[in-house]
Amino acid sequence: KAFLGEKAKSVKDNVVDKVKGAFGGGGGGKPGRKSGKKPMNIIETLDVGVPLRTAYDHWTKYEDFSGFAKGVQSVSQGDEVTTDWEVKVGPSKRSFKATVQEQVPDERIVWTSQGAKGSTRGAVSFHEITPTLTRIVLVVEYYPAGFFEKTGNIWRAQGRRLRLDFKNFQRYVSLSNDEADGWRGEIRDGEVVKTHEEAVEEEEAAE
């Protein structure tokens, strides 16, 4: 317990800065900054009792999010890089397009999103604590658009909804009996540099 506790603490102390540094990976990954808008920042960590690859593969199945995340109504995959999301926060509905700027299998995913009510920059990273315990670190900056979004409680509610659905992901993955068939490709600067098929072929050859 002492060893695991120290290892987990070390990950928690060191990883957030590394994940926030990954925001620089995308060419267009800085929405909101030019206009000087003040973002809402969310930094969350969760431990999931599954192997690192299992946690990562489940995260890449975006179209399944509506099955466990109460704030997500639907997700449609445009291509390997973009997805369209329909979400609900209280009585309000939001839609936005997310673009993956960087994706490294079993390590991290960095994205940006644009919608009528605001934009986000986000990064999620995956860290092996033990072979059957994975730490997930989520960092999100949300830039609200419009007077009501910036002055009302709606955008704070989005933060609360995101935190709750992050925990819903933890519960879903921990209790799921399904073997996730995640996307194993690689993205750099918003472009696919290794397809899913190429990555699977490399993994099979290595095995």
Side-chain angles (χ1 to χ4, degrees), residues 115-136:
K117 300 298 183 179
S119 59
T120 66
R121 301 165 64 219
V124 60
S125 63
F126 304 82
H127 311 269
E128 182 179 274
I129 303 300
T130 75
T132 57
L133 181 64
T134 302
R135 172 154 291 178
I136 305 174

Side-chain angles (χ1 to χ4, degrees), residues 25-46:
K30 296 183 179 181
R33 286 198 165 185
K34 290 182 180 180
S35 60
K37 298 175 184 176
K38 183 178 179 181
M40 177 185 68
N41 297 294
I42 299 171
I43 300 176
E44 293 289 318
T45 63
L46 285 177

